[in-house]
């Protein structure tokens, strides 16, 4: 028996920047998908789970699509998606896996989907002696989610889950598909990472995620044409000055999405500087501003989530907080000076996590 530990991730600043090619900040945390597995010589994947019903059974030699196999659709699609993106690299008679998967926290907002995909990819690669570089893992997880799960996600989740390092913040350059660990400055005060779950978990496929991404690209095309530019792949290719000059010509939803992008890009850049200086309080203020932009400009956040973040903002022991992830449900991530004081009387479930290393097979 072997075990894959595939962490969840938080994104303290840099929401909805990745799909536009922009910079974002991630951190792998000590809440994980844990996949216990053994090789299966019959080329079959058989998996059960603590968190999901039924058994997933996939014949690797017959698999052609995410929908054609036995198993409850909700979670078997992710297993099939991981197998499909790896298909070209598998040997002629691939080795399957038998195993059990569980998540150590409720996933919503912590990217449990990229976490499970990377767990399945890592186990399949392991039993088939396929060596995957960190870049391969990120690329395969991204393709699995985009091509087979159908969400136009960016690189944030897999990059944070693969590239995370204990004690560091990960600065991710989405356009270049590169990431770099940023150590916290020496003078930083002690802080803890608090996750407050709203109890509302939503699969991104059932949200406005793809529509919002589409509005960003529409804003990008219009700004590009208004400014007489061409060859622009995403909002990140435009200077702030283009938005300042032409932004008010955009329809309201597109103007808001673009405003979120350009202000968030500035917060990420400033956040990296503050982190290096150990200025956790300044970094926390940027998290609060980032969340406000998610509410006003991205128009994300359920009433429960907005209320929970407001409650956190008012507590003196909270440096900063924001929606974790896409912001359509899920949880809040907060940096706090005193965990017990903040956790007391918060509605819903509260967890304490630490930064962690990226996905690994033990
Ligand atoms: C989800 C997506 C990421 C990213 C975030 C928002 O987690 O999977 O690619 O876009 O939302 O920053």
């Amino acid at each position: 028996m072997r075990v894959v530990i595939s962490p969840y991730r938080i994104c303290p600043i840099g929401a909805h920047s990745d799909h536009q090619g922009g910079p974002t900040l991630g951190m792998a945390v000590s809440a994980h998908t844990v996949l216990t597995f053994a090789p299966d010589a019959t080329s079959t994947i058989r998996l059960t789970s603590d968190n999901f019903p039924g058994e997933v059974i996939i014949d690797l030699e017959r698999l052609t699509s995410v929908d054609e196999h036995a198993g409850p659709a909700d979670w078997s699609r992710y297993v099939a998606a991981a197998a499909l993106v790896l298909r070209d690299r598998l040997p002629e008679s691939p080795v399957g896996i038998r195993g059990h998967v569980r998540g150590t926290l409720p996933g919503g907002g912590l990217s449990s989907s990229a976490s499970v995909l990377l767990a399945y990819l890592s186990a399949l690669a392991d039993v088939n002696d396929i060596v995957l570089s960190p870049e391969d893992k990120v690329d395969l997880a991204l393709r699995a989610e985009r091509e087979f799960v159908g969400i136009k996600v960016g690189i944030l989740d897999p990059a944070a889950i693969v590239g995370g390092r204990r004690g560091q913040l990960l600065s991710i350059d989405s356009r270049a598909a590169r990431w770099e660990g940023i150590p916290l400055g020496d003078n930083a005060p002690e802080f803890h990472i608090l996750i407050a779950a709203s109890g509302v978990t939503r699969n991104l496929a059932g949200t406005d995620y793809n529509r919002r991404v589409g509005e960003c690209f529409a804003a990008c095309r219009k700004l590009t044409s208004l400014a007489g530019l061409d060859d622009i792949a995403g909002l990140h290719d435009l200077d702030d000055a283009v938005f300042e000059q032409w932004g008010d010509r955009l329809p309201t939803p597109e103007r808001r999405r673009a405003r979120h992008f350009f202000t968030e890009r500035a917060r990420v850049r400033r956040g990296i500087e503050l982190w290096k200086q150990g200025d956790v309080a300044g970094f926390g203020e940027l998290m609060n501003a980032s969340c406000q932009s998610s509410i006003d400009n991205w128009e994300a956040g359920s009433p429960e989530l907005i209320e929970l973040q407001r409650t956190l903002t008012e507590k003196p022991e909270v440096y900063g907080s924001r929606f974790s992830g896409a912001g359509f449900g899920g949880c809040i991530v907060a940096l706090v000076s005193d965990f017990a004081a903040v956790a007391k009387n918060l509605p819903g479930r509260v967890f304490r996590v630490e930064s962690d290393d990226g996905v690994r097979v033990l």
Side-chain angles (χ1 to χ4, degrees):
M1 277 289 181
R2 310 198 68 180
V3 179
V4 187
I5 303 287
S6 187
Y8 296 163
R9 67 95 190 90
I10 55 167
C11 171
I13 309 173
H16 295 290
S17 180
D18 59 353
H19 43 72
Q20 298 306 305
T24 182
L25 299 174
M27 192 185 271
V29 295
S30 57
H32 312 112
T33 298
V34 180
L35 170 60
T36 312
F37 67 99
D40 178 300
T42 67
S43 298
T44 306
I45 299 179
R46 296 184 86 98
L47 291 177
T48 51
S49 169
D50 276 359
N51 314 79
F52 315 114
E55 185 177 25
V56 171
I57 305 173
I58 293 175
D59 178 347
L60 284 173
E61 297 199 83
R62 298 228 179 111
L63 180 68
T64 53
S65 91
V66 280
D67 298 312
E68 288 168 34
H69 54 271
D74 278 359
W75 70 285
S76 60
R77 288 175 72 82
Y78 287 85
V79 188
L84 284 166
V85 284
L86 209 57
R87 195 169 38 176
D88 294 346
R89 305 207 194 189
L90 291 173
E92 210 164 300
S93 297
V95 179
I97 49 173
R98 247 160 219 278
H100 185 78
V101 64
R102 67 188 171 88
T104 60
L105 274 194
L110 299 172
S111 195
S112 55
S113 58
S115 169
V116 291
L117 280 169
L118 280 155
Y120 304 141
L121 281 166
S122 303
L124 276 173
D126 185 73
V127 295
N128 286 287
D129 291 328
I130 299 168
V131 177
L132 297 177
S133 68
E135 290 75 17
D136 284 340
K137 287 183 197 163
V138 169
D139 181 54
L140 289 167
L142 206 51
R143 278 181 39 212
E145 198 134 17
R146 283 186 183 156
E147 289 174 28
F148 297 107
V149 184
I151 316 295
K152 297 182 180 129
V153 290
I155 196 177
L156 162 66
D157 305 345
I161 292 168
V162 169
R165 286 286 161 271
R166 190 165 302 189
Q168 295 191 353
L169 181 68
L170 207 66
S171 162
I172 300 164
D173 175 340
S174 311
R175 173 72 78 241
R178 289 213 193 93
W179 48 90
E180 174 194 9
I182 313 276
L184 182 64
D186 288 340
N187 302 324
E190 196 188 342
F191 71 91
H192 308 282
I193 304 170
L194 177 145
I195 306 288
S198 69
V200 184
T201 53
R202 282 190 208 138
N203 189 322
L204 281 189
T207 70
D208 273 343
Y209 185 91
N210 280 349
R211 185 150 69 89
R212 296 280 198 283
V213 173
E215 286 162 350
C216 282
F217 284 116
C220 182
R221 280 192 299 276
K222 284 177 197 154
L223 288 172
T224 302
S225 126
L226 285 163
L229 302 166
D230 51 25
D231 272 347
I232 298 297
L235 287 171
H236 183 53
D237 299 311
L238 299 173
D239 291 337
D240 292 350
V242 172
F243 179 65
E244 277 152 28
Q245 188 173 355
W246 303 105
D248 56 6
R249 300 265 205 106
L250 296 173
T252 305
E254 292 166 25
R255 187 171 64 248
R256 289 189 179 149
R257 309 311 172 239
R259 185 181 297 131
H260 173 79
F261 175 83
F262 291 108
T263 58
E264 191 73 347
R265 176 166 71 182
R267 283 186 285 270
V268 169
R269 290 173 174 160
R270 179 83 186 121
I272 292 172
E273 292 315 311
L274 294 176
W275 190 264
K276 285 181 182 162
Q277 292 161 18
D279 185 350
V280 178
F283 188 89
E285 277 170 31
L286 291 175
M287 289 173 71
N288 290 340
S290 166
C291 195
Q292 198 57 48
S293 177
S294 284
I295 297 168
D296 297 339
N297 297 318
W298 200 258
E299 295 178 273
S302 59
E304 302 90 327
L305 213 55
I306 294 173
E307 183 56 36
L308 190 54
Q309 200 262 343
R310 292 237 159 93
T311 307
L312 282 162
T313 312
E314 282 157 16
K315 293 191 182 255
E317 303 87 358
V318 175
Y319 289 116
S321 65
R322 64 153 286 115
F323 305 152
S324 178
F328 292 109
C331 62
I332 309 280
V333 55
L335 303 189
V336 307
S337 58
D338 181 337
F339 184 89
V342 177
K344 201 163 57 185
N345 300 330
L346 268 191
R349 297 174 70 189
V350 178
F351 307 91
R352 179 170 169 173
V353 295
E354 281 156 29
S355 64
D356 200 1
D357 291 334
V359 59
R360 64 254 184 205
V361 180
L362 305 180

